[in-house]
Amino acid sequence: MRLLSLPSAVVAAVAVAVLPPGAASAAEGPGAASFTITDPRIKESSGLAASRIHPGVYWTHNDSDDGPYVYAVDSATGRTVARVTLTGVGTPRDVEAISLGPDGQLYVGDIGDNLDGSWDHVWIYRFQEPKQLGDTTVKATRFTVKYADGPRNAEALMVHPVTGRVYIASKSEEKGGLYEGPAELSAGAPNVFRRVAGLPWVTDGAFSPDGGHLALRGYFFAKAYPWKDGLPQGAGERVDAPWQGQAESVTWTADGSALMFGAEGGSSRVIAVPAGPAPAASPTPGAAKPGSPPDPAPAAQSPAPEGSFTKGALVLAGGTVLVVAAKRLFRRRAPK
């Protein structure tokens, strides 16, 4: 989601008030597999998904106004190693998220709605992750999505790596929620997603490779929740996510040892943050190149740097109110 200049400036001003100098790089430790996206075509990276068959490769996409494209970026170099053109999906409206399912297929969430409910349906596109990297065109399956309690804006789509069930987290300062899709998506009829839990303002989310945790991020927070019986458990454990301005994406590394945090903007930085004891990840035989950078070693959750997200809570709350007010005054555009 692109914010107009005033909301972006407000967000930045709040960040200066809340975060100390140097906090943006506090999460980057020695050996972290962070990287910079160098492709000038990727200006609004709004989702991330770690490949399971191409070590060190991350799938991403632009937010909107780009076309039906998904990019594979090699974290060893930051370069694009494939651009996949999707057919059979029409013209995407507001693509916000991407996730890899246990069936080896990529799920792309065209689920954004900056007018908070102006569209009575949104879409999910699904296609098989290519075994060979390179520019290609694939026919994707398009699924229509509706919410049981009415239209809403969303930026996070997560596919559980064990059950294959699809979840969407809505983005709202008042009524954000986690929505569960049907056990299997249908291409022949609308798929009704039902609210199963309340959530804070979420811009992206991802399941750990073993399905035992759900990571969620917003502009000012990141948490990892234990996942049990189809629901996040408890209040979640804080993750020391970096300050990234237009913070739009998160995924786990393929081995579950780190969380990768991304943001919109040209030459955007994807930052690796150790995720604590690594969830188990099933080895994938015959993994292909390009070569991956070393993944960071599992590490215990570190305390927050002094003056980071835990400091200035009252300032943060006030800043969030300003961001919300500015967003309401300056909506991006009318629906197409």
Side-chain angles (χ1 to χ4, degrees), residues 75 182 290:
S75 61

Side-chain angles (χ1 to χ4, degrees), residues 130-327:
K131 294 182 179 179
Q132 301 296 325
L133 292 174
D135 291 355
T136 187
T137 298
V138 302
K139 183 173 178 56
T141 303
R142 185 172 74 171
F143 302 98
T144 298
V145 170
K146 292 191 173 186
Y147 300 97
D149 53 357
R152 58 206 58 251
N153 186 26
E155 295 192 11
L157 178 145
M158 301 78 65
V159 183
H160 195 274
V162 177
T163 67
R165 192 182 288 267
V166 182
Y167 295 85
I168 293 174
S170 67
K171 180 182 177 183
S172 170
E173 66 273 16
E174 298 171 349
K175 52 184 178 181
L178 181 68
Y179 288 80
E180 180 186 74
E184 293 186 10
L185 297 180
S186 169
N191 297 270
V192 178
F193 278 59
R194 303 183 185 281
R195 184 184 175 104
V196 294
L199 292 177
W201 182 315
V202 173
T203 60
D204 202 13
F207 284 107
S208 60
D210 66 353
H213 288 81
L214 173 65
L216 297 173
R217 83 165 307 175
Y219 295 131
F220 302 109
F221 88 100
K223 285 187 176 183
Y225 296 79
W227 184 264
K228 184 178 179 181
D229 299 328
L231 291 171
Q233 304 295 309
E237 180 180 2
R238 180 182 51 80
V239 178
D240 291 335
W243 164 252
Q244 293 180 293
Q246 194 70 20
E248 289 285 330
S249 56
V250 65
T251 191
W252 299 73
T253 55
D255 66 358
S257 66
L259 284 160
M260 308 295 289
F261 291 91
E264 289 191 4
S267 299
S268 61
R269 186 77 172 156
V270 178
I271 297 176
V273 177
S282 302
T284 303
K289 292 184 177 182
S292 63
D295 282 323
Q301 181 72 34
S302 59
E306 181 63 27
S308 66
F309 294 119
T310 58
K311 185 178 180 181
L314 293 177
V315 177
L316 174 57
T320 302
V321 171
L322 290 175
V323 173
V324 170
K327 282 179 74 275

Side-chain angles (χ1 to χ4, degrees), residues 1-2 44-48 60-64 92-99 107-114 119 123 125 153-157 169 171 202-205 219 246-250 264 332-333:
M1 167 187 158
R2 291 179 300 170
E44 295 184 333
S45 176
S46 192
L48 286 171
T60 189
H61 54 83
N62 282 310
D63 182 343
S64 57
R93 287 189 300 209
D94 193 353
V95 179
E96 293 287 355
I98 187 168
S99 184
Y107 293 69
V108 179
D110 190 355
I111 55 176
D113 184 349
N114 287 327
W119 297 321
W123 298 299
Y125 313 133
N153 186 26
E155 295 192 11
L157 178 145
K171 180 182 177 183
V202 173
T203 60
D204 202 13
Y219 295 131
Q246 194 70 20
E248 289 285 330
S249 56
V250 65
E264 289 191 4
R332 184 175 61 190
R333 65 181 187 275

